[in-house]
Amino acid sequence: MSNIYHYTTVSQALDELYEMGFDFDFNIDDSEITQYPDHCEIQHIYRYEGDSNPDDEATVYGIKSKNGKKGVFVTGFSANSENNAARILIDITIKGRAK
């Protein structure tokens, strides 16, 4: 993991990642994250925090897989927004900080 950013909106983060070639949507197909987490490298993390409501908070990941696919995954902070792929990305982030 190389860069952590904070932007005003999720769409601003997604636009910037798209401009850098992160054009695959891992939210639509998260099978590569869930089945082969070791093949995924988090290259960018963008954090979005709502002014007053934790439900407005999100994290946008810029992910590159070993096969060269570059894409994004967006997850919220609320309990119902966390799925297997989101938990795996959190684990990858924590492991990356320990290095």
Side-chain angles (χ1 to χ4, degrees):
M1 176 179 52
S2 56
N3 300 303
I4 298 177
Y5 302 98
H6 174 78
Y7 284 95
T8 306
T9 65
V10 170
S11 62
Q12 184 181 3
L14 291 171
D15 288 345
E16 181 158 317
L17 283 167
Y18 184 81
E19 289 176 15
M20 292 187 289
F22 291 82
D23 56 3
F24 183 79
D25 189 342
F26 284 106
N27 285 90
I28 293 174
D29 181 4
D30 67 4
S31 61
E32 191 158 0
I33 295 169
T34 57
Q35 294 174 13
Y36 309 103
D38 293 340
H39 293 185
C40 298
E41 176 188 348
I42 300 171
Q43 295 193 326
H44 300 276
I45 297 177
Y46 296 77
R47 299 204 189 277
Y48 173 70
E49 299 177 5
D51 290 332
S52 61
N53 187 346
D55 289 340
D56 293 337
E57 298 177 357
T59 302
V60 179
Y61 295 92
I63 302 165
K64 182 176 179 182
S65 66
K66 283 190 177 178
N67 67 7
K69 184 187 302 179
K70 291 170 68 173
V72 297
F73 187 86
V74 180
T75 186
F77 289 125
S78 62
N80 64 352
S81 68
E82 192 173 293
N83 61 19
N84 286 339
R87 284 188 286 276
I88 289 168
L89 291 172
I90 290 168
D91 288 344
I92 292 171
T93 303
I94 291 168
K95 288 176 187 172
R97 288 182 184 168
K99 291 181 181 179

